[in-house]
Amino acid sequence: MPSDKTIGRLSLYRSLLSRILRAGDSHIFSHELAALAGNTSSQVRRDLMAIGSNGTPTRGYDIRSLIQSIGECLDAAGGERVALVGVGNLGGAILGFFAGRRPKLSVVAGFDNDRDKAGRVLYGVRCYAMEDLPRVIDQQGIRVAVITVPASEAQDVADRLIRAGVRGILNFAPIRLRTPAGIYVEDVDVTMSLEKVAFFARQSLTHKG
Amino acid sequence: MPSDKTIGRLSLYRSLLSRILRAGDSHIFSHELAALAGNTSSQVRRDLMAIGSNGTPTRGYDIRSLIQSIGECLDAAGGERVALVGVGNLGGAILGFFAGRRPKLSVVAGFDNDRDKAGRVLYGVRCYAMEDLPRVIDQQGIRVAVITVPASEAQDVADRLIRAGVRGILNFAPIRLRTPAGIYVEDVDVTMSLEKVAFFARQSLTHKG
DNA sequence: TAGATTGTTAATCGATTAACAATC
DNA sequence: TAGATTGTTAATCGATTAACAATC
């Protein structure tokens, strides 16, 4: 099974390749893709090996078939239905961000504490009350969820999602979720990221003069 | 200089410790913090060493002074002023998310292509036209910026920010920015993260049954 | 063919973990 | 004191990079 990081890079390669394809090119060399992705050609070749690469020494890789191979690796055959818990500002932005971006990955249900949101369509997604979570997750066959609730509620939400059958969580709350083995959690901690940027921006200045 | 990952963990430790402090505890052992942060006590001790740790074998670490030490490491003495380019849905959510969260890190200027936004206060931040970017960045002494524009515009925005004096960028566009040495870029690629979650959620199922 | 690139393995590098004397 | 934890270094692990024969 490919590593966490390899999968992440394959996802990046696909976005980059889609843009290249729209620009008109049909083939690409490993060092060209590496320059776009910000890594080495060695690594690109090794990553593409993981999905059964199709390059030739003279023309490089066929972009179309590369995108297809990456899709066969990353995408679920029938598409993946996703739930989002916490339909606030951040949740709404995430919904807007994903809308139509990946046809195989669609957010089909939103849940929120606020009862007034239940039954409505917000940011393009149908919203439900928290008490309907187990039923909706089960009926829709949802296995992936996004958590955009405050840190104080995130662990409880994660527990409920996992009980309902969710196997992968994208967590925006700035805590580490405690989950049983076999559950994949990816944390996106925006505050942490900005603090890192601020720190190293400062270092680069003090370092120079 | 501490590594990228160490700084990220210190930021996480600080959020976790602030929550603990509010809950009433005054001291914490490395293995307790490790459990909260999802890593090993060895690593916690090594990370805290980097900021001059203050633990004792009998009582562990004093939470208050730990939070202060982390602050002295992470925060700029006079606070850091941040700009955000792309005051759309995602940008607005980020602004709402940061509002009042870190007193030493405040977004003080928003920039957008949309001329109608210039001069207004949106999501709590004063907005400017793109042509005012060099002047505002310079006058306000801004060294850190957040990019929440579409991928097609991100590189151009980054170039402008760097020319204006920005040294660190938090990039939400799904491309890798090309930047000169000494500029720190942190990528937050939400689509990539969700694709990773979907992939490993699926693997955990096929692996088990 | 000559030359550049691919697929793939070996070498390197860095980060994490394990270990342990010192300490409260 | 005995016992657990700290600060710190050595061992381990995994990921990245370099190298190179095979290929177009």
Side-chain angles (χ1 to χ4, degrees):
Chain A
M1 181 154 61
S3 81
D4 175 72
K5 301 199 170 185
T6 302
I7 295 298
R9 284 192 299 262
L10 287 174
S11 166
L12 177 62
Y13 296 158
R14 174 159 68 173
S15 328
L16 297 170
L17 290 168
S18 303
R19 292 172 57 77
I20 296 286
L21 192 63
R22 281 199 295 275
D25 288 341
S26 72
H27 287 74
I28 192 168
F29 288 119
S30 62
H31 61 86
E32 293 171 323
L33 184 50
L36 291 171
N39 53 18
T40 65
S41 59
S42 240
Q43 184 150 77
V44 167
R45 293 207 302 281
R46 214 166 40 81
D47 288 338
L48 298 186
M49 242 182 63
I51 55 165
S53 31
N54 63 342
T56 64
T58 39
R59 300 201 295 166
Y61 299 88
D62 180 77
I63 295 177
R64 261 174 231 279
S65 78
L66 218 46
I67 291 174
Q68 172 148 6
S69 302
I70 295 176
E72 280 164 10
C73 172
L74 292 187
D75 297 332
E80 195 80 63
R81 282 174 293 286
V82 179
L84 181 141
V85 187
V87 190
N89 280 334
L90 182 61
I94 302 298
L95 287 169
F97 192 75
F98 281 131
R101 194 172 283 257
R102 286 276 175 273
K104 296 278 188 174
L105 208 54
S106 53
V107 184
V108 297
F111 298 94
D112 203 285
N113 259 338
D114 180 356
R115 290 298 190 83
D116 291 346
K117 289 177 180 165
R120 297 171 60 191
V121 173
L122 295 172
Y123 307 101
V125 76
R126 175 156 293 277
C127 295
Y128 302 88
M130 286 302 289
E131 63 205 40
D132 294 328
L133 192 146
R135 180 179 58 77
V136 176
I137 296 282
D138 182 57
Q139 282 180 355
Q140 304 243 22
I142 291 171
R143 297 179 300 186
V144 172
V146 181
I147 294 183
T148 47
V149 302
S152 53
E153 300 170 33
Q155 183 63 60
D156 177 55
V157 166
D159 294 342
R160 292 191 198 205
L161 285 166
I162 293 165
R163 270 202 302 276
V166 162
R167 288 290 164 268
I169 292 175
L170 179 57
N171 172 43
F172 283 85
I175 62 164
R176 291 296 290 263
L177 301 172
R178 315 219 63 186
T179 53
I183 306 295
Y184 185 85
V185 178
E186 172 90 5
D187 294 302
V188 177
D189 189 336
V190 180
T191 304
M192 177 178 103
S193 297
L194 188 61
E195 287 190 335
K196 278 167 67 173
V197 172
F199 177 82
F200 287 107
R202 193 144 31 86
Q203 294 303 327
S204 99
L205 283 174
T206 52
H207 214 250
K208 279 184 178 170
Chain B
M1 181 154 61
S3 81
D4 177 68
K5 301 201 170 181
T6 301
I7 294 298
R9 285 192 300 262
L10 288 175
S11 166
L12 177 63
Y13 298 157
R14 173 158 69 173
S15 334
L16 297 170
L17 290 168
S18 303
R19 292 171 58 77
I20 297 285
L21 193 63
R22 280 198 296 275
D25 288 339
S26 71
H27 288 74
I28 191 168
F29 288 120
S30 63
H31 60 86
E32 293 172 322
L33 183 52
L36 290 171
N39 53 17
T40 65
S41 58
S42 239
Q43 184 150 78
V44 168
R45 293 206 301 281
R46 213 165 42 80
D47 287 340
L48 297 186
M49 242 182 62
I51 54 165
S53 31
N54 63 339
T56 66
T58 39
R59 301 201 295 168
Y61 299 87
D62 180 77
I63 295 178
R64 260 174 231 281
S65 78
L66 219 46
I67 291 175
Q68 173 149 4
S69 301
I70 295 176
E72 280 164 11
C73 173
L74 292 188
D75 298 332
E80 194 79 64
R81 283 173 294 284
V82 179
L84 182 142
V85 185
V87 190
N89 280 334
L90 182 62
I94 302 299
L95 287 170
F97 192 76
F98 280 131
R101 193 171 285 255
R102 287 275 175 272
K104 296 277 188 176
L105 209 53
S106 54
V107 184
V108 296
F111 299 93
D112 204 284
N113 259 338
D114 181 355
R115 290 299 188 85
D116 291 347
K117 290 178 180 163
R120 296 172 59 190
V121 173
L122 295 171
Y123 308 101
V125 76
R126 175 155 293 278
C127 294
Y128 303 87
M130 285 302 288
E131 65 206 37
D132 294 328
L133 192 146
R135 181 178 58 78
V136 176
I137 296 281
D138 183 56
Q139 282 179 356
Q140 304 245 21
I142 292 171
R143 296 180 300 188
V144 173
V146 181
I147 294 183
T148 48
V149 302
S152 54
E153 300 169 33
Q155 182 63 59
D156 177 54
V157 167
D159 294 341
R160 291 192 200 205
L161 286 167
I162 293 165
R163 268 201 302 275
V166 162
R167 287 292 165 265
I169 293 175
L170 179 57
N171 171 43
F172 283 85
I175 62 162
R176 293 295 291 264
L177 300 171
R178 315 219 63 188
T179 55
I183 306 295
Y184 185 85
V185 178
E186 172 90 5
D187 294 301
V188 177
D189 189 335
V190 180
T191 305
M192 179 178 100
S193 297
L194 188 61
E195 289 190 335
K196 277 167 68 173
V197 172
F199 176 83
F200 287 107
R202 193 145 32 86
Q203 295 302 327
S204 100
L205 284 173
T206 51
H207 214 250
K208 279 185 178 168

